[in-house]
Amino acid sequence: MTSFTVETDADGIALVTWDAPGKTMNVIDMATIEELSGIVEKLAADAGVKGAVITSGKETFCAGADLTMLERLVGVFAHMQKQQGAEAAAETLFTESRKLSQLYRRIETCGKPWVAAINGTALGGGFELTLACHHRVASQNPKTRLGLPEIKVGLFPGAGGTQRVARMIPPADAMQMLLKGDQLKLDRAKAMKLIDNVVAPDDLIKTAKDWIKAGGKAKAPWDVDGFKLPGGPVYSKAGMMVFPPANAIYRRETYDNYPAARALLQVIYEGLQLPMDQALRVESRWFAKILRSPEAAAMIRTLFVSIQELNKGARRPAAVPPTKLKKIGVLGAGFMGMGISHVSAMAGLEVVVIDRDQESADKGKAALHKQISDRVAKGRVKAEERDAILARITPTADYAALKDCDLIVEAVFEDRKVKAEAFAKAKAAMGKDIVFASNTSTLPITSLAESFGEPERFIGIHFFSPVDRMMLVEIILGKNTGDKALAAALDFVRVIRKTPIVVNDSRGFYANRCVLNYIQEGHLMLLEGIPAAMIENTARMAGMPVGPLSLNDETGLDLGLRILRATEADLGKGVVPPAQMKLAEDLVEKNGRMGRKNGKGFYDYPQNAPKRLWPGLAELQPKHLSREEIDALDVEELKQRFLVTQALEAARTVEDGVITDVREADVGSILGFGFAPFSGGTLSYIDMMGTRKFVALCERLAAKHGPRFKPNKLLIDMAATDERFYQRFPPARSKEAA
């Protein structure tokens, strides 16, 4: 054995300790399955063993399955399908993908009681292991999370999780938990009866063993005659109050874009009508089907494999030693500056925040205090955590306070003159070798670096709003940015637990280039006479988290107008559609509508009431469609316009050399602006469709709606052989990131 140790005490209770060598967390792979299977059979056959306790030798119990194992299984399926046909390939995938489910069922039915002693977070297949045990005890730890988050990578629990959870709690609760991929704190998991007891860490193993000594049964409740489902039979009055509404909620929340979510409902619905062994077989068949869906393949690749690789430093210059970050300086105590200060202080860094005067700096910290205090009042943050975060933040107007900072991040107003003044003051006070970063969202980094005067230590670190909730950080390389600056930026992002993408300099960088196209498409649809509600709903149907008009309100209509004018000033008249410019000017300058920040944008934001579309929008539309014209609109085409305009811009950024790693385009699009997660990201959306079909779609849209949909040369070249982005630009996987 390499990952497990087994010690049997004088009472005949075996302690199985899982401690995978060379890994910070236990994960499930084929070797783990084989090793644990051998242990289960050995203990089941040993008459001297009365029961078993399984625990972890690490700080967490198990992070779940190694999804690269599932990627390889799908690769084997594709190869077998070509060599031996679809039936043989499907049978092999089914057989291999259900081995973990069969192992857990063997634990459940081996005739001896098993107890899970959960000493930290248990997710995915790790939590499914605990559910297959006959009793679950957890050690008290506020950081512990339990859950089945597979839906977030295009899958659903495939090792019995759907069937056990739906037999332990009412199906409505089970479906909500599984469809959300909730990670539960211990108190909630215990209240839901998914775990049986929470004890002090020192009592964990003893409590687990005591349950076996006290006569703990080796049968799961559903294997005992007379077991009744907690929500009643599927075909009962109670069941009919659950499953039909669940279908409606599923459609409302997913618009049928996620095959795994649909399959999850199907598996629970079918499985609860069957004995456990047959139900598990149903789960395994659906799991194998979903595993080979293009959505699951794309989501696993982007939201598991690629994110892990980027978080582990796939783009970090290997020759640069680690940056020792203890204290950072932030220029600007506004919304973004305080957001950066917040996440930095949360990560344990000392922060100096500088604004134009002490009053402004203090005002920024006070606003953050109120923001965190609101969360304290809701029970999301403890008061002592708030106080510790705020204690690390020092507001001041004195630039001399930057002298011992290890990194400076500028987040002042988006104006070259204002930034240049801040650069000069900071440079005079900061250390000579310290990296300086700008949080600009629109101004090219190369030109800002020239203003700073030492471009090799100048870099862009573009945060997304709100900083504490958005997981992506866009790192922008100027023309002369050095490796040390890149390494420092990546080290900082890693410390604050965000996901970085590295892009080359251009107007709008990567994320804003794509998302501004999305917002523009919403504007142009409005100008075509399409009702605002239809625009917003169609965008959500396409897979976007919010509609383009709502997103524009969040980012600020006044900021959008400034961007349009700056773009026109730099690139010439006509580059912005005149009607779009007029719409922005009418909203901001004639009607004073700035967006959510002043409660007036495309939407009205009344106090203590949901937002609603502004009735005056219709007056700004130069054209209005009749009811017949609205009914004749092609909803599928509207959805395509929203996704194609973003994916096409992503392809242009590859051709322009802004994006140099396809993983970053996909990860950045989902984490940065919510591009339809089921697609795996902007470039995966093209790959899933095929470049040939995508180019044909672009050409149809261009013929109907204008040259903004015209495919770029790179796409046309790739379409000639239907080449995919991940074929043409395969990511280089470093040893560290692997």
Side-chain angles (χ1 to χ4, degrees):
M1 292 185 291
T2 58
S3 294
F4 295 89
T5 58
V6 181
E7 300 175 31
T8 304
D9 64 17
D11 296 309
I13 299 174
L15 178 63
V16 181
T17 304
W18 186 2
D19 194 355
K23 296 180 179 178
T24 56
M25 292 185 290
N26 293 321
V27 294
I28 299 165
D29 54 20
M30 284 300 184
T32 303
I33 295 171
E34 291 175 10
E35 194 171 331
L36 185 55
S37 294
I39 291 170
V40 173
E41 296 305 327
K42 184 176 180 180
L43 297 181
D46 189 339
V49 173
K50 307 302 180 188
V53 173
I54 185 164
T55 192
S56 168
K58 302 185 185 297
E59 291 184 0
T60 58
F61 185 82
C62 174
D66 177 4
L67 295 188
T68 58
M69 168 183 70
L70 299 181
E71 271 198 317
R72 287 191 291 272
L73 276 180
V74 174
V76 170
F77 166 80
H79 180 73
M80 282 193 66
Q81 192 173 31
K82 292 178 182 178
Q83 300 294 321
Q84 301 177 35
E87 187 174 337
E91 181 63 32
T92 298
L93 183 64
F94 171 69
T95 300
E96 292 298 315
S97 65
R98 73 183 304 231
K99 283 185 174 179
L100 188 62
S101 179
Q102 290 176 311
L103 166 60
Y104 290 173
R105 184 58 173 161
R106 178 61 178 143
I107 289 173
E108 198 168 56
T109 59
C110 71
K112 295 182 179 179
W114 278 66
V115 180
I118 307 167
N119 61 319
T121 292
L123 299 174
F127 188 48
E128 286 180 290
L129 170 57
T130 73
L131 296 176
C133 293
H134 304 97
H135 193 71
R136 286 157 293 284
V137 184
S139 62
Q140 183 64 58
N141 184 342
K143 294 182 180 180
T144 294
R145 297 292 183 271
L146 308 175
L148 299 168
E150 288 89 342
I151 199 73
K152 295 181 179 181
V153 289
L155 296 172
F156 64 84
T162 65
Q163 301 310 305
R164 293 188 177 94
V165 169
R167 285 165 171 77
M168 296 170 78
I169 62 178
D173 295 336
M175 287 187 285
Q176 183 178 42
M177 172 188 165
L178 296 170
L179 285 170
K180 287 185 174 181
D182 282 346
Q183 295 186 21
L184 310 175
K185 294 182 179 179
L186 289 176
D187 55 352
R188 188 177 170 206
K190 187 173 186 297
M192 293 172 72
K193 299 183 180 179
L194 293 173
I195 56 174
D196 300 296
N197 206 356
V198 179
V199 300
D202 291 343
D203 297 331
L204 179 65
I205 303 303
K206 180 181 181 302
T207 304
K209 289 185 174 183
D210 285 346
W211 184 82
I212 296 174
K213 292 179 188 177
K217 293 182 179 179
K219 269 196 172 184
W222 37 87
D223 289 324
V224 177
D225 290 343
F227 170 71
K228 293 183 179 180
L229 294 169
V234 169
Y235 284 101
S236 66
K237 184 176 180 181
M240 288 301 100
M241 293 177 68
V242 170
F243 287 96
N247 286 335
I249 293 169
Y250 157 77
R251 294 287 302 195
R252 183 190 70 194
E253 296 299 318
T254 71
Y255 294 98
D256 211 20
N257 287 322
Y258 294 85
R262 175 191 275 256
L264 177 60
L265 294 183
Q266 188 80 28
V267 164
I268 293 174
Y269 171 76
E270 293 181 9
L272 290 181
Q273 300 177 62
L274 298 168
M276 190 56 151
D277 287 307
Q278 290 172 275
L280 290 174
R281 189 174 181 86
V282 166
E283 181 192 75
S284 294
R285 287 206 174 279
W286 277 102
F287 184 77
K289 177 180 174 63
I290 295 303
L291 191 57
R292 61 181 191 260
S293 69
E295 291 85 356
M299 291 179 74
I300 289 171
R301 180 175 63 194
T302 297
L303 295 174
F304 180 78
V305 179
S306 293
I307 280 183
Q308 281 199 347
E309 291 170 347
L310 296 178
N311 285 340
K312 289 177 180 178
R315 295 296 307 278
R316 191 186 186 283
V320 180
T323 313
K324 295 178 181 178
L325 294 171
K326 294 182 180 179
K327 185 176 183 180
I328 71 161
V330 176
L331 310 186
F335 183 69
M336 290 302 291
M338 291 314 302
I340 297 166
S341 301
H342 182 190
V343 297
S344 301
M346 282 178 64
L349 297 174
E350 296 293 323
V351 184
V352 172
V353 185
I354 295 181
D355 214 306
R356 61 181 178 272
D357 51 50
Q358 189 65 47
E359 182 183 359
S360 299
D362 289 339
K363 185 179 178 181
K365 185 172 180 179
L368 179 60
H369 184 284
K370 182 183 183 304
Q371 177 189 333
I372 306 176
S373 294
D374 289 344
R375 296 182 188 179
V376 172
K378 295 175 182 177
R380 296 174 183 172
V381 177
K382 293 182 179 178
E384 53 267 32
E385 292 175 325
R386 173 200 61 197
D387 295 342
I389 290 168
L390 293 171
R392 297 188 190 104
I393 299 174
T394 304
T396 182
D398 185 4
Y399 276 80
L402 298 176
K403 68 178 185 301
D404 56 350
C405 289
D406 304 309
L407 176 75
I408 311 297
V409 182
E410 169 270 311
V412 301
F413 190 68
E414 285 287 279
D415 180 277
R416 287 186 181 276
K417 184 178 179 182
V418 175
K419 288 185 183 293
E421 291 174 359
F423 294 171
K425 291 177 181 178
K427 189 176 177 183
M430 62 192 280
K432 293 188 179 299
D433 295 326
I434 301 303
V435 170
F436 189 97
S438 174
N439 178 55
T440 181
S441 59
T442 54
L443 300 174
I445 290 298
T446 300
S447 59
L448 291 179
E450 291 170 356
S451 174
F452 180 75
E454 295 182 53
E456 69 280 357
R457 61 172 172 143
F458 192 99
I459 195 165
I461 301 182
H462 176 212
F463 287 87
F464 295 78
S465 180
V467 177
D468 61 321
R469 294 208 299 270
M470 297 296 285
M471 293 308 300
L472 186 75
V473 175
E474 193 175 29
I475 295 174
I476 306 103
L477 299 175
K479 187 175 181 181
N480 297 302
T481 299
D483 280 355
K484 181 181 176 182
L486 174 57
L490 288 169
D491 291 343
F492 171 55
V493 172
R494 192 170 190 173
V495 167
I496 61 175
R497 301 180 185 90
K498 303 287 186 185
T499 296
I501 62 170
V502 180
V503 305
N504 287 322
D505 198 15
S506 80
R507 174 170 295 281
F509 316 129
Y510 167 67
N512 278 346
R513 279 180 61 167
C514 296
V515 81
L516 289 174
N517 274 22
Y518 173 57
I519 291 172
Q520 180 191 57
E521 204 60 31
H523 292 172
L524 296 179
M525 286 181 181
L526 193 70
L527 295 169
E528 291 168 18
I530 299 173
M534 189 173 190
I535 293 168
E536 296 289 88
N537 289 333
T538 306
R540 292 188 68 236
M541 290 169 66
M544 299 299 293
V546 295
L549 309 182
S550 180
L551 179 60
N552 202 177
D553 274 3
E554 294 293 335
T555 58
L557 302 189
D558 54 336
L559 174 61
L561 178 58
R562 285 202 304 273
I563 291 172
L564 291 178
R565 284 176 170 164
T567 302
E568 194 170 72
D570 286 354
L571 303 180
K573 279 279 187 183
V575 69
V576 176
Q580 185 190 12
M581 182 70 82
K582 184 178 186 303
L583 174 65
E585 290 172 343
D586 286 348
L587 284 163
V588 176
E589 296 178 342
K590 290 187 178 180
N591 291 281
R593 306 189 73 84
M594 308 294 182
R596 181 183 276 276
K597 67 174 108 179
N598 78 331
K600 298 186 297 181
F602 285 102
Y603 287 79
D604 285 322
Y605 298 87
Q607 285 189 347
N608 304 317
K611 68 180 183 182
R612 54 175 179 259
L613 283 162
W614 178 43
L617 274 181
E619 297 176 14
L620 302 185
Q621 289 180 282
K623 178 182 178 182
H624 296 91
L625 299 182
S626 66
R627 169 53 58 187
E628 291 75 16
E629 288 173 315
I630 292 171
D631 290 342
L633 287 171
D634 184 345
V635 172
E636 192 61 32
E637 182 184 280
L638 296 180
K639 289 161 57 179
Q640 289 169 340
R641 284 171 64 179
F642 283 127
L643 298 185
V644 168
T645 189
Q646 297 176 80
L648 180 54
E649 190 63 25
R652 292 176 183 136
T653 66
V654 175
E655 185 172 51
D656 294 346
V658 175
I659 285 289
T660 59
D661 188 316
V662 290
R663 295 172 296 187
E664 293 176 313
D666 280 342
V667 170
S669 64
I670 294 177
L671 297 190
F673 47 93
F675 185 86
F678 68 86
S679 71
T682 46
L683 298 184
S684 284
Y685 171 75
I686 297 172
D687 277 3
M688 189 184 297
M689 187 183 301
T691 49
R692 188 170 287 160
K693 287 184 179 179
F694 183 78
V695 164
L697 174 58
C698 288
E699 289 171 342
R700 287 198 302 274
L701 292 174
K704 188 172 181 180
H705 299 287
R708 67 183 181 278
F709 286 108
K710 184 179 178 181
N712 57 315
K713 183 178 183 302
L714 172 64
L715 273 173
I716 293 170
D717 290 346
M718 292 172 65
T721 57
D722 205 20
E723 189 178 24
R724 279 22 178 203
F725 277 93
Y726 279 81
Q727 287 176 312
R728 183 154 180 157
F729 306 102
R733 289 185 159 87
S734 67
K735 290 182 180 179
E736 183 185 356

